[in-house]
Amino acid sequence: MASQLKVDTLTGVTTAGSIVVTGEGNSTTTNLQQGLCKHWVRVSGSGMTVADSFNATSGTDAGTGLYTAGLTNSMGNTNYAITTGCDDKQDGADIFVYNVRDDVAQATGSYGMSGKKEAYAAADLNQNGVSTILGDLA
C-alpha cells in the first residue's frame, strides 16, 4: 500500500537546517538543502521583462545585451553556481546567454548575464532567457 506524507515544515533532528537524503544506490547520502535551486528567473522579451521567477527581486536592462538580476534573499557568499540558457532566434543568428559579465562582479544579492549573437556581438534577447542559482543562502 502506498503511503502519503503531508507536512508544512521539514526540520533536521541534529541540525535544524540540515536534512540528509539517501541516494539512489543506498550507499551515499546528499544534503537536501544543498541540492535545491535557490533562485531562478525566466525573462521574456528585450528589456529584461521577468515572465516568472523564484527568489528574484528585479531584472535590470543595463544596455544592449547586458542584464542584471537581483535576489530577494541573498546568497551566503559569491561562490555560487549560475546556469543560464536561451531560446531565441534573431535574424537567423542564435543568441547565447552567458552567466559572467565583464563589467559587473558576481555579488551575494545580484549577478549579471549577457546576450550575444553567434559572432559574439552584444544583442538584446527577443524570446526566453533562463538562469538558475545553486549555492548557500545567507
Side-chain angles (χ1 to χ4, degrees):
M1 182 171 146
S3 298
Q4 187 177 43
L5 175 67
K6 292 183 178 183
V7 298
D8 289 325
T9 304
L10 294 173
T11 304
V13 174
T14 56
T15 304
S18 181
I19 297 173
V20 176
V21 178
T22 301
E24 296 85 348
N26 295 326
S27 61
T28 60
T29 60
T30 187
N31 183 291
L32 179 63
Q33 290 84 342
Q34 288 290 307
L36 297 175
C37 177
K38 304 306 190 309
H39 159 88
W40 61 266
V41 64
R42 178 178 181 264
V43 295
S44 182
S46 63
M48 191 68 181
T49 303
V50 176
D52 203 357
S53 66
F54 170 72
N55 192 25
T57 59
S58 62
T60 303
D61 185 342
T64 302
L66 301 175
Y67 313 97
T68 302
L71 306 176
T72 304
N73 297 298
S74 294
M75 301 304 291
N77 56 56
T78 59
N79 297 322
Y80 52 87
I82 302 171
T83 58
T84 60
C86 182
D87 174 17
D88 192 10
K89 295 282 187 185
Q90 182 175 339
D91 301 325
D94 289 330
I95 302 269
F96 302 96
V97 177
Y98 295 97
N99 63 349
V100 176
R101 278 182 40 194
D102 297 28
D103 63 334
V104 63
Q106 187 168 304
T108 57
S110 64
Y111 63 96
M113 299 183 289
S114 62
K116 297 185 179 184
K117 290 184 181 181
E118 289 175 342
Y120 301 107
D124 285 331
L125 301 175
N126 288 324
Q127 299 292 328
N128 306 315
V130 177
S131 65
T132 60
I133 291 180
L134 299 169
D136 298 325
L137 287 173

